[in-house]
Amino acid sequence: MAPDTDSPTNNDLSLQWSGRLSLTRRILAVNILVLALLAGGFFYLDSYRARIVDAQLEQSERELTLLAISLDRTPLGNWNSLIAAFARQTDDRVRLYDHDGKLIADSFSMNAPRYKLRDPDSEPWERHVARWLDKVIDRIVWAHLPPDYVEPIIDKSTSWPELIAAQRTGQVKSIFRYAPDRTPMISAAISMGQNKPQLLATENARDITRIVRAERFRLGVVLAIAILISVLLSLFLARTIVRPLRRLARAAVRVRLGRAREVTVPRLPSRRDEIGLLARALSDMSHALRQRIDATEAFAADVTHELKNPIASLRSALEALGRVEAPNLRSQLMEIANDDVRRLDRLVTDIAEASRVDAQLSRAKFDRVDIGLTIERLILAREARGIPRGVRLAFARPRRGVAVMMGDEQRLLRVIENLVDNAISFSPPGGLVQIVATRVDDDVLISVEDEGPGVPETERETIFRRFHSVRPNEEEFGKHSGLGLAIARSIVEGHHGAINIGDRDDRLNGARFVVRLPAGTLLADDEAIT
């Protein structure tokens, strides 16, 4: 068949390294990559915790500054009650140091302690798991790890770096540390002036850990659900994409190996997507390939059968030629051998032509053909060579540019030549062979009529088979190979046309071959002049 479009000889669409992975793994990789972006929310949680801590540090600095101002304006005897009230409201531990650094007041000794540092070793296993997860996530997101909070053995102002910094700068200073159980410790220090007391407020901000863990748990649940859905969707896509492709690949391998006479390629009729189209295309291709193989095998068997007869006749004639001495018999045997050689030559020529038709048409580039001019040149050449038995040829020449098509002119000429030769061979002496070429709608019709005996309806399909020949009784045996009409049909079908045979329209004796081919574009009016 002639190609509809030109396709490149090599079109490599491989994806470099990813092309080595199966589709299932690539689908999973793409979905997991999207989930990895969602997992980036853990980085956001780290910055979220940092903002909370910063806000808590600023709040502690403001509160301690207000306490220092209040103490500075309150009589010394009321300081303890003011410190105790402040600690109850803020849940802080407030310590007061004199200008020599000695602890002179502690809110924990005035009220019940507002927090208690927990020993990790005494906590249940759930807490250990939670802290381990905190460490893992902090390591993954490269979180900044604060120093550990340790209560000094001798509690004085020089034991606290924030108090030293506050006394040196005269400004409030705050520090974020980790308690032994990895909960935030917020501390703020302020100096009330030169040679004046110093304040230190510490708070175990467990609510920050609870908030961050709660958000992390929600994000983890969302991420787990998303991973589960993604994996299920990936497996679903793999099942609906990869499995059919594997079935098609296995069927294609079986076709290639040729271990089974008939290989059923799944057509997947329920699918209307690209895989369904691919499955049906492969099924049609394998069916066409099987038909081509069957046709080739049948053709090879027919060729073998057709060659055996003349070869056997030639061998018999040559074997007898060595034993016969009579000149007249030797002359007859030589004539038989010559006839067999000529018959073999015709067979080999026609067989070669028949085997080349499909391959050449598949590579042929179709050109614009005015079939009227082609038939006219054919008739002139045929009449110049002479037509046996006085048979006449009549051609109704169409207007130029009407019977136009796209095709291979030499192959189309071979079709018409085979039909005309067939009509001449069946025509009676002085008979008339009429050739007509015209355009009907979007087709070009070519008809060849003779005045012979016609073709029986039972033979009208079989005469197009290879090596099938119904010849006139008076014609010499072996003069035709029986491939002419088969070659004509192959060429016509290669041009996306059809050929059939019927009775003449005038109901007289004879056969009428009709070739229908797709028409080309009409010429312009100024070109359509005879």
Side-chain angles (χ1 to χ4, degrees):
M1 299 294 287
D4 293 331
T5 57
D6 294 332
S7 59
T9 56
N10 184 19
N11 188 12
D12 188 6
L13 298 178
S14 62
L15 301 177
Q16 302 300 327
W17 65 269
S18 63
R20 303 175 185 176
L21 301 176
S22 67
L23 283 177
T24 302
R25 293 180 179 178
R26 273 188 268 180
I27 291 171
L28 285 171
V30 170
N31 289 335
I32 291 175
L33 177 62
V34 175
L35 293 176
L37 298 178
L38 179 62
F42 287 107
F43 290 88
Y44 166 76
L45 285 180
D46 180 65
S47 63
Y48 173 68
R49 177 181 59 187
R51 289 196 298 272
I52 295 178
V53 170
D54 291 340
Q56 191 70 25
L57 290 172
E58 292 178 1
Q59 181 179 349
S60 296
E61 290 177 358
R62 289 194 302 269
E63 291 174 348
L64 193 62
T65 301
L66 292 174
L67 177 61
I69 294 172
S70 300
L71 291 176
D72 190 46
R73 298 179 181 180
T74 302
L76 183 61
N78 296 330
W79 280 22
N80 287 345
S81 60
L82 183 59
I83 291 174
F86 177 85
R88 286 194 299 270
Q89 292 298 321
T90 60
D91 291 332
D92 289 352
R93 180 178 183 180
V94 181
R95 281 174 267 205
L96 182 65
Y97 299 87
D98 61 16
H99 63 278
D100 292 329
K102 181 181 178 181
L103 180 65
I104 58 177
D106 187 352
S107 64
F108 272 19
S109 62
M110 304 173 189
N111 303 314
R114 310 304 296 179
Y115 64 83
K116 182 180 180 181
L117 297 181
R118 299 177 180 177
D119 182 8
D121 295 335
S122 63
E123 292 186 318
W125 66 270
E126 295 91 344
R127 302 275 184 176
H128 291 283
V129 173
R131 280 192 295 273
W132 178 80
L133 289 176
D134 291 340
K135 293 179 181 179
V136 170
I137 294 175
D138 286 345
R139 185 176 296 274
I140 292 175
V141 301
W142 300 302
H144 172 70
L145 298 180
D148 292 333
Y149 177 86
V150 179
E151 284 283 344
I153 298 175
I154 301 176
D155 193 353
K156 56 183 180 179
S157 63
T158 55
S159 301
W160 302 93
E162 55 265 52
L163 278 173
I164 297 174
Q167 188 174 20
R168 185 178 65 251
T169 61
Q171 297 178 351
V172 62
K173 294 293 181 181
S174 58
I175 294 180
F176 165 51
R177 299 183 182 90
Y178 265 159
D181 60 349
R182 286 185 61 84
T183 55
M185 288 297 298
I186 305 297
S187 64
I190 189 171
S191 176
M192 297 176 64
Q194 191 70 21
N195 297 324
K196 288 187 177 183
Q198 299 173 349
L199 283 171
L200 174 68
T202 58
E203 177 188 1
N204 189 196
R206 295 180 178 275
D207 56 332
I208 296 178
T209 301
R210 287 194 295 269
I211 293 172
V212 173
R213 285 179 178 174
E215 293 300 323
R216 190 175 291 161
F217 175 76
R218 294 188 187 97
L219 180 60
V221 171
V222 172
L223 185 60
I225 294 174
I227 291 176
L228 178 61
I229 294 175
S230 178
V231 170
L232 293 177
L233 288 176
S234 299
L235 295 177
F236 171 75
L237 289 175
R239 180 183 180 88
T240 57
I241 295 176
V242 177
R243 288 185 61 183
L245 291 179
R246 286 178 179 170
R247 290 178 60 193
L248 294 175
R250 286 195 293 267
V253 170
R254 291 197 299 271
V255 171
R256 178 178 62 84
L257 296 177
R259 294 178 179 175
R261 177 67 181 175
E262 293 292 339
V263 177
T264 302
V265 178
R267 295 184 61 85
L268 306 180
S270 61
R271 299 192 64 145
R272 294 294 181 264
D273 55 5
E274 289 79 1
I275 293 181
L277 294 176
L278 174 63
R280 289 183 284 278
L282 286 176
S283 178
D284 294 338
M285 181 187 70
S286 64
H287 182 67
L289 179 62
R290 173 52 58 191
Q291 287 183 329
R292 180 66 61 86
I293 293 174
D294 292 342
T296 302
E297 292 176 351
F299 181 61
D302 292 340
V303 168
T304 302
H305 176 74
E306 292 296 324
L307 290 178
K308 278 185 177 180
N309 292 333
I311 290 175
S313 176
L314 179 61
R315 181 175 59 188
S316 298
L318 293 177
E319 290 176 352
L321 192 62
R323 300 191 299 268
V324 173
E325 299 294 338
N328 59 336
L329 292 179
R330 291 178 63 86
S331 177
Q332 291 179 5
L333 291 174
M334 286 298 297
E335 184 62 28
I336 292 173
N338 287 330
D339 288 342
D340 290 335
V341 169
R342 287 191 293 270
R343 184 181 174 191
L344 284 173
D345 181 66
R346 286 192 297 271
L347 275 172
V348 170
T349 301
D350 288 344
I351 289 170
E353 175 67 18
S355 63
R356 287 197 304 265
V357 166
D358 289 342
Q360 290 179 346
L361 282 176
S362 65
R363 299 188 300 268
K365 181 179 179 181
F366 286 178
D367 298 316
R368 189 183 183 86
V369 178
D370 188 338
I371 201 66
L373 295 176
T374 302
I375 296 174
E376 192 171 31
R377 288 195 294 268
L378 168 65
I379 292 175
L380 292 175
R382 195 70 176 82
E383 290 176 343
R385 294 198 307 267
I387 302 175
R389 302 189 314 281
V391 176
R392 296 162 296 150
L393 299 179
F395 174 47
R397 174 76 166 83
R399 187 166 59 93
R400 180 171 177 256
V402 172
V404 175
M405 67 191 68
M406 300 299 294
D408 185 336
E409 185 174 12
Q410 294 301 317
R411 297 294 174 186
L412 294 173
L413 180 62
R414 178 65 185 271
V415 172
I416 301 169
E417 187 176 21
N418 287 355
L419 295 180
V420 170
D421 287 345
N422 183 78
I424 291 174
S425 64
F426 281 96
S427 295
L432 177 65
V433 175
Q434 301 183 61
I435 307 167
V436 177
T438 186
R439 175 166 177 159
V440 177
D441 297 329
D442 293 330
D443 294 322
V444 171
L445 299 183
I446 304 168
S447 66
V448 178
E449 296 182 353
D450 59 53
E451 296 178 344
V455 180
E457 291 187 7
T458 56
E459 297 287 338
R460 289 181 180 179
E461 183 59 32
T462 57
I463 61 173
F464 290 104
R465 296 177 184 172
R466 288 168 174 168
F467 303 108
H468 184 88
S469 180
V470 180
R471 308 308 307 171
N473 294 329
E474 64 273 10
E475 185 177 280
E476 184 180 352
F477 174 75
K479 196 171 182 179
H480 290 82
S481 63
L483 288 173
L485 293 180
I487 293 174
R489 168 169 277 189
S490 296
I491 295 173
V492 170
E493 291 179 348
H495 284 75
H496 307 290
I499 181 172
N500 54 66
I501 184 173
D503 297 324
R504 291 170 54 123
D505 293 337
D506 54 12
R507 300 185 180 277
L508 298 177
N509 289 337
R512 181 173 183 263
F513 287 84
V514 178
V515 176
R516 182 182 295 270
L517 295 166
T521 305
L522 288 173
L523 295 174
D525 293 339
D526 57 347
E527 297 180 356
I529 301 175
T530 58

